[in-house]
């Protein structure tokens, strides 16, 4: 996999970040982090929409510069409360 820069995050391939190439995204997407190792690319993005800030972590499988698989996890800060037993292991994320 070729290496490049996406959203200021070294090591991520632009081919692995389809939102960055979208000519007319429905809402602005702000890249927070991208990491790549072999065929795996992990991205974290924010998408403000209608007074709500959504965050997504995406796991991309890339072969020969093409995305061949993906899985995404979406949330919004404060919308998915952690169980009390986990409170000592997590740091709450504040909406920016």
């Amino acid at each position: 996999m070729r290496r490049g820069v996406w959203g200021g995050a070294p090591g991520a391939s632009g081919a692995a970040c389809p939102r960055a190439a979208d000519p007319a995204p429905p809402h602005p997407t702000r890249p927070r982090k991208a990491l790549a190792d072999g065929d795996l690319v992990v991205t974290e993005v924010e998408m403000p929409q209608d007074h709500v800030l959504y965050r997504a972590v995406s796991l991309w499988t890339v072969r020969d510069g093409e995305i061949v698989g993906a899985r995404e996890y979406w949330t919004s800060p404060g919308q998915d409360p952690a169980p009390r037993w986990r409170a000592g292991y997590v740091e709450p994320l504040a909406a920016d």
Side-chain angles (χ1 to χ4, degrees), residues 1 11-13 16-17 34-43 58-62:
M1 182 180 139
S13 167
C17 304
L35 304 169
D37 186 19
D39 289 347
L40 176 65
V41 177
V42 179
T43 59
S58 305
L59 308 168
W60 308 97
T61 303
V62 180

Side-chain angles (χ1 to χ4, degrees), residues 9-91:
S13 167
C17 304
R19 284 185 191 81
D22 189 342
H27 300 282
T29 301
R30 295 188 298 238
R32 293 178 52 90
K33 188 177 287 189
L35 304 169
D37 186 19
D39 289 347
L40 176 65
V41 177
V42 179
T43 59
E44 179 186 3
V45 299
E46 290 181 332
M47 182 182 295
Q49 177 180 350
D50 301 326
H51 307 291
V52 177
L53 177 65
Y54 293 100
R55 288 191 172 141
V57 171
S58 305
L59 308 168
W60 308 97
T61 303
V62 180
R63 289 196 189 101
D64 299 321
E66 299 290 326
I67 296 171
V68 296
R71 179 172 294 203
E72 293 187 309
Y73 298 92
W74 288 82
T75 189
S76 182
Q79 299 301 311
D80 298 313
R84 287 186 183 174
W85 64 265
R86 202 170 58 190
Y89 302 103
V90 299
E91 241 182 77

